[in-house]
Amino acid sequence: MIRLERWAATLCLPLLGLLQAWALADGQGRAHGGVQILALAGFFLFLDGARSLRQAAWRGWWFATWWLSGVCWWLFISMHVYGGLPAPLAVAGVVALAAALALYYGVAASLYWWTRGLGFMASALLFAACWTLAELARGQWLTGFPWGAIGYAHVDSPLAWLARWAGVYGVGAIAAALAALLALCVVAVLGYIFGRFISAARLPVTAPRMVSAYAWLAVLLVAILAGGHWQRAQFGEVDAQLAARKPVTLALLQGNIPIAEKFDPGTGVLDSLRWYGEQFTQRKEALVIAPETAIPVLPQDLPPRYLEIVTAPYRSGDQALLTGLPLGDTERGYTNSVLGVRPAGAGATDSSPVDYVYSKSHLVPFGEFVPPLFQWFNDMMDIPLDSFRRGAVVQPSFAWQGERFAPNICYEDLFGEELARRFSDPQQAPTVLVNFSNIGWFGDGAVIDQHLHISRMRTLELERPMVRATNTGATAIIDHRGRVVAKAPRASVAVLSGAVVGNGHDGSASSITPYAHWASRLGLLPLWALALLTVASCAVVGTRLPRMYHSR
């Protein structure tokens, strides 16, 4: 039976990992929080049944490697199709990254297995704490790569309301606790019925213990549902006030310029300048927004007077423009930036056409900077724009028509704790978030849906709408409750016309969510402290109580 269980773990954990990856984005634009919990519950069953510390660590690593490979498989497209890396090496690169990131979860799994020994609810909390530590480490250490955190599967689930209090990692922690409790309910029933055929880790299972597992699960579910109902009841007054406010009309431009040609002076550059230039001069909306590197060359390399001509409609009147482009020179370095143009007197510092600049702060490894010791890997690929300079984490918003538009570029919206730093002063806090992206490097599949869910989670955490202008998708308008109001067809040339109403215009402290309040001052330190305290408490208490295990 032990040998059979080992084979089952080896074969089933990859399937469970891929199922959890699918739950984050199913290819049809949906996330499935319930499926994510089921997949993680399956993993927990194998982890809790491990018979050694080494086996627990291996199972955590094995599950996470498949899960993260399934989440980030689209990196293959950027490395092979656009980077020119041979397919076997590109596959190896994706798997190597996933395997490296999975080490966090291998350590977390071994920490759980070594510390466990308490009752069902304590075991669930311990597992949630260990899982959260792995998520936090992956999201912050070595520049951080938190793409695919399990909390993103819950943008539409009953757990979504918790984001305004605890952020995506807090949502993930509760999901992990639910998964563990669900698994322990299965263990309790099977252990009670079949006795010795179940892992010795949870034996003996008495009727009271079996009932306690279901009682704890029921208590947690009722608390989540009741809390969500209470929270939604609090939203009515704010929503009514925003509904009465005049919106800002928008034109979100999606050029769908082929990535293989985007930086080619003879094709993609000319197509970009022509199409976006036409849109800039023809649109009538109050705010026109173009995506990351919509203008794909430096201002000094543009045709004579190009920038002056296409921005002419925004130097006077009642229109403003935000567009992505690179800035800088060889002496100062280069930045991936957003350029803003608005009429003089409307927040502009002078009458020049360029009166606002935002520069990307959190850069993409291998795409915008080369990590130490990895220049050899970058040299194997043929992808431009790999040596940008960082902007400040907190930069001024773009003031226009009573709103404070706060840009973020590409995967900067993946770091909610960094966006939250802009909310330390309620008087200057953004009222609208704006994401400028070009993820055409990664195809038009699940990566687009995953990134959309990431943006939606930021709106749930910060209760600010987010508008997204992208090259290939998802160009969208998301309201302050995380709902997609409008979306352009992906992988197509499109202009998404709509409107947005911001939140927090009065600059009151009550307009700042609890998450934004503590994360703007402390970052993710409270979550680190709470998770570490939970693990330490379980370790100390576990040494003083009779063990529930027959062996380690």
Side-chain angles (χ1 to χ4, degrees):
M1 290 296 294
I2 293 176
R3 187 176 301 172
L4 179 63
E5 192 266 349
R6 289 176 178 172
W7 276 105
T10 301
L11 296 175
C12 291
L13 287 176
L15 297 177
L16 291 169
L18 293 175
L19 183 63
Q20 179 160 276
W22 178 86
L24 292 164
D26 64 0
Q28 302 298 320
R30 297 183 298 265
H32 300 273
V35 174
Q36 182 276 315
I37 290 175
L38 289 174
L40 194 60
F43 162 68
F44 180 86
L45 282 172
F46 287 108
L47 171 62
D48 199 60
R51 285 170 168 77
S52 69
L53 188 67
R54 180 178 178 181
Q55 189 178 74
W58 181 86
R59 289 182 178 184
W61 176 84
W62 185 236
F63 169 80
T65 297
W66 283 89
W67 159 47
L68 295 172
S69 295
V71 167
C72 299
W73 66 268
W74 36 263
L75 288 170
F76 170 86
I77 299 174
S78 64
M79 290 189 286
H80 174 58
V81 177
Y82 301 117
L85 203 64
L89 287 179
V91 171
V94 174
V95 175
L97 175 64
L101 296 174
L103 292 174
Y104 293 122
Y105 299 90
V107 173
S110 61
L111 180 62
Y112 165 79
W113 193 91
W114 178 76
T115 312
R116 66 185 186 153
L118 307 176
F120 286 144
M121 189 59 185
S123 294
L125 293 177
L126 174 62
F127 175 73
C130 292
W131 182 272
T132 302
L133 288 174
E135 295 268 64
L136 290 170
R138 179 165 72 96
Q140 292 197 296
W141 293 356
L142 302 175
T143 80
F145 189 70
W147 197 287
I150 62 172
Y152 292 114
H154 295 274
V155 289
D156 291 313
S157 87
L159 300 183
W161 69 273
L162 291 165
R164 76 183 307 271
W165 294 89
V168 66
Y169 297 115
V171 172
I174 299 300
L178 281 171
L181 272 178
L182 180 61
L184 289 170
C185 286
V186 174
V187 168
V189 171
L190 296 181
Y192 183 74
I193 297 175
F194 296 106
R196 65 185 181 86
F197 294 105
I198 302 302
S199 169
R202 293 292 170 187
L203 292 180
V205 178
T206 62
R209 287 189 61 221
M210 180 177 65
V211 172
S212 73
Y214 284 89
W216 279 119
L217 180 61
V219 167
L220 188 55
L221 287 173
V222 169
I224 290 170
L225 295 175
H229 178 76
W230 171 83
Q231 187 66 79
R232 285 189 293 272
Q234 314 306 307
F235 291 154
E237 183 177 349
V238 172
D239 292 349
Q241 292 175 354
L242 296 183
R245 189 177 179 88
K246 182 180 179 180
V248 177
T249 58
L250 303 171
L252 306 178
L253 309 183
Q254 180 176 289
N256 196 38
I257 307 298
I259 292 299
E261 304 173 2
K262 183 171 177 63
F263 298 97
D264 187 326
T267 55
V269 171
L270 291 179
D271 291 341
S272 294
L273 297 182
R274 182 183 304 111
W275 190 80
Y276 284 109
E278 291 175 353
Q279 297 302 319
F280 291 168
T281 56
Q282 294 175 6
R283 303 310 306 180
K284 302 301 181 184
E285 289 83 357
L287 180 60
V288 178
I289 304 177
E292 177 186 16
T293 60
I295 298 176
V297 295
L298 296 163
Q300 57 266 36
D301 295 329
L302 289 169
R305 299 186 64 239
Y306 174 86
L307 196 60
E308 178 184 348
I309 293 171
V310 300
T311 60
Y314 308 97
R315 299 179 202 173
S316 61
D318 56 1
Q319 286 185 281
L321 170 70
L322 287 170
T323 183
L325 83 170
L327 295 175
D329 52 45
T330 54
E331 294 183 2
R332 295 176 298 167
Y334 301 96
T335 58
N336 188 356
S337 299
V338 169
L339 177 151
V341 183
R342 58 196 162 190
T349 55
D350 52 48
S351 59
S352 63
V354 178
D355 59 72
Y356 175 85
V357 172
Y358 169 85
S359 296
K360 188 175 183 181
S361 172
H362 204 122
L363 304 180
V364 180
F366 302 105
E368 294 167 326
F369 79 97
V370 182
L373 307 179
F374 280 93
Q375 183 62 49
W376 62 271
F377 182 79
N378 195 75
D379 292 341
M380 296 176 65
M381 298 187 291
D382 185 25
I383 296 179
L385 310 178
D386 62 353
S387 55
F388 281 121
R389 178 169 51 86
R390 301 177 189 273
V393 174
V394 179
Q395 300 176 51
S397 299
F398 181 78
W400 181 242
Q401 292 201 350
E403 303 286 359
R404 296 184 292 271
F405 293 89
N408 57 84
I409 299 177
C410 192
Y411 92 148
E412 279 191 310
D413 67 343
L414 191 60
F415 300 90
E417 68 277 11
E418 294 182 3
L419 296 189
R421 289 181 59 180
R422 306 180 190 186
F423 290 77
S424 59
D425 181 3
Q427 295 290 333
Q428 301 299 322
T431 60
V432 181
L433 303 172
V434 188
N435 180 258
F436 300 78
S437 288
N438 176 23
I439 54 176
W441 298 102
F442 311 110
D444 59 0
V447 64
I448 290 178
D449 297 324
Q450 291 172 2
H451 200 189
L452 180 61
H453 296 329
I454 288 168
S455 293
R456 293 180 62 197
M457 181 58 71
R458 298 292 84 80
T459 68
L460 291 170
E461 291 174 343
L462 304 171
E463 287 187 2
R464 297 295 190 266
M466 184 180 292
V467 297
R468 310 183 76 248
T470 72
N471 181 36
T472 57
T475 297
I477 301 173
I478 308 168
D479 72 8
H480 64 295
R481 301 295 180 211
R483 297 168 296 202
V484 178
V485 177
K487 183 170 63 173
R490 70 177 67 194
S492 64
V493 179
V495 177
L496 180 63
S497 295
V500 67
V501 176
N503 188 16
H505 306 91
D506 59 0
S508 64
S510 61
S511 68
I512 306 298
T513 64
Y515 170 79
H517 180 78
W518 60 259
S520 65
R521 293 161 175 79
L522 301 172
L524 298 177
L525 183 60
L527 291 179
W528 277 102
L530 184 59
L532 288 170
L533 180 62
T534 300
V535 173
S537 299
C538 290
V540 171
V541 173
T543 60
R544 297 175 178 237
L545 293 178
R547 294 288 180 178
M548 292 166 50
Y549 300 91
H550 295 326
S551 66
R552 283 283 183 189

